Amino acid sequence: MFRLIGRHFKEAFQGLFRHFAMALSSASAVTFTLVLVSILTIIIGNVSQITRNIEEGIAIYATIDDEIPEEEIPALQRQLERIEGILSVEYSDKDAELDRWIDSLGESGEYYELYRDDNPLPRAFLVKVSSGYSISEINEKIKSVEGILGAEFGGLTTENFMRILSGVRNVGYVIIAALTVLAIFMISNTIKITIYNRNKEISIMRQVGASNNYIRQPFVIEGMFIGAMGAMVPVLLTIIAYRYLYEEMDGKLLSNVLSLLPVYPFAYQVSAFLVVIGIVVGLIGSLLSVNKYLRWRR
């Protein structure tokens, strides 16, 4: 079995060297495609990270009616937790609200310690929303709960921004799928030309009793090597370019909320993804081409 596998690899390498110009042309096309895939994957990965950071940072601030007695707060909290799409509800009493207000003002906030004994701030719930749910719809449901004085969050601008990020991510997935299909088509055409050039060789192999599977294997291995060759340059560019971008931007776009994914392991995960895509594309492209030819010749 090992000798047979070795023979398949030997024939695949011989096919690559005999038709090196075509293999290089196909690998170059795959390289260009995978560079685009790399750029899109980096964008999608960081957009997903930014979206998660924004989602984690957004909370609905629900103020509690002062007429609600303290002993009824746990029941009110449980009522909010039962609303679909709410991830967590954290209670903040008057002292905690005053502390938060003082912290937000910095040094000048110390003045408001005077209001500690006669605190005018309302109690509140800090509500986190599960990913995938409309924060504005949940905000309206919270407002309708008896005992809730009001509820607010970052506003529709924040929600629309998150929807735009989600749309960018989905469009990126579609483009990556389209580029993958394009790469498969290019490798398939290259293998097809190679098969036609080796038509006599395949005929002789058939005459001596070689099965379709035996004939197919070298071409499949050849396609996988073409795909792997095409992934080499994108892998290097991904690691070098992303490290440079990350260091130049100090790991973030504008603020810590819009932070970039760290070079390690993200750039290396993208690189591994490119190699896998290259090999799989080569495998599928060569299989499609060889199978079509072998069926036609039968």
Side-chain angles (χ1 to χ4, degrees):
M1 183 183 69
F2 289 107
R3 185 162 41 186
L4 184 63
I5 293 173
R7 183 176 298 173
H8 288 325
F9 273 89
K10 181 181 177 181
E11 291 177 4
F13 279 118
Q14 287 175 345
L16 281 172
F17 285 111
R18 287 173 187 167
H19 308 90
F20 184 74
M22 284 190 298
L24 186 61
S25 174
S26 183
S28 299
V30 173
T31 295
F32 176 75
T33 303
L34 291 183
V35 166
L36 296 179
V37 170
S38 174
I39 294 171
L40 288 169
T41 304
I42 288 172
I43 292 173
I44 290 171
N46 281 288
V47 164
S48 298
Q49 173 69 13
I50 290 169
T51 304
R52 283 192 297 270
N53 289 342
I54 293 175
E55 287 176 345
E56 290 172 1
I58 291 178
I60 296 175
Y61 182 78
T63 53
I64 304 169
D65 194 330
D66 286 336
E67 296 181 1
I68 301 295
E70 193 68 25
E71 59 270 17
E72 293 183 13
I73 294 296
L76 183 59
Q77 183 172 348
R78 287 192 295 271
Q79 187 177 352
L80 292 181
E81 289 172 341
R82 287 195 292 269
I83 296 176
E84 185 180 1
I86 288 182
L87 183 64
S88 65
V89 179
E90 180 185 348
Y91 173 59
S92 178
D93 60 17
K94 285 179 173 288
D95 285 337
E97 285 299 290
L98 183 59
D99 289 336
R100 192 168 67 88
W101 174 256
I102 291 172
D103 290 340
S104 68
L105 296 176
E107 294 182 359
S108 61
E110 295 178 1
Y111 170 78
Y112 291 93
E113 283 290 349
L114 299 172
Y115 295 95
R116 182 69 64 179
D117 295 330
D118 189 20
N119 192 339
L121 295 176
R123 297 162 295 173
F125 289 120
L126 300 178
V127 182
K128 293 281 188 179
V129 178
S130 300
S131 177
Y133 287 88
S134 171
I135 191 168
S136 59
E137 291 180 7
I138 294 175
N139 190 68
E140 292 302 316
K141 290 180 182 178
I142 292 173
K143 284 182 178 179
S144 66
V145 175
E146 186 176 354
I148 297 297
L149 193 62
E152 58 183 28
F153 62 103
L156 292 177
T157 302
T158 302
E159 188 171 29
N160 290 337
F161 180 58
M162 291 174 63
R163 286 176 179 170
I164 290 171
L165 291 178
S166 179
V168 169
R169 184 173 50 193
N170 293 335
V171 170
Y173 287 139
V174 172
I175 295 176
I176 286 176
L179 289 173
T180 302
V181 172
L182 177 63
I184 290 172
F185 175 76
M186 289 185 295
I187 287 185
S188 177
N189 281 343
T190 299
I191 297 295
K192 189 185 299 181
I193 295 171
T194 304
I195 292 171
Y196 288 149
N197 289 339
R198 294 162 67 178
N199 187 31
K200 289 184 179 180
E201 179 183 339
I202 294 173
S203 298
I204 293 172
M205 292 171 70
R206 274 212 166 125
Q207 289 174 8
V208 298
S211 66
N212 280 350
N213 188 54
Y214 182 89
I215 297 171
R216 185 186 297 115
Q217 294 307 317
F219 292 105
V220 172
I221 295 171
E222 189 174 331
M224 292 171 67
F225 272 106
I226 291 174
M229 286 168 55
M232 290 180 183
V233 173
V235 164
L236 291 174
L237 286 176
T238 297
I239 295 173
I240 295 171
Y242 188 70
R243 180 182 288 116
Y244 174 80
L245 176 69
Y246 187 86
E247 292 175 353
E248 285 294 310
M249 303 188 73
D250 197 24
K252 56 182 179 292
L253 294 180
L254 296 173
S255 65
N256 290 331
V257 176
L258 305 180
S259 60
L260 300 175
L261 287 164
V263 176
Y264 181 83
F266 179 62
Y268 295 91
Q269 291 171 341
V270 174
S271 299
F273 173 69
L274 295 177
V275 172
V276 171
I277 287 290
I279 293 174
V280 171
V281 160
L283 171 66
I284 296 174
S286 57
L287 271 176
L288 291 174
S289 184
V290 174
N291 287 341
K292 184 177 180 180
Y293 176 82
L294 292 178
R295 284 197 303 269
W296 178 67
R297 295 298 294 174
R298 280 293 184 195

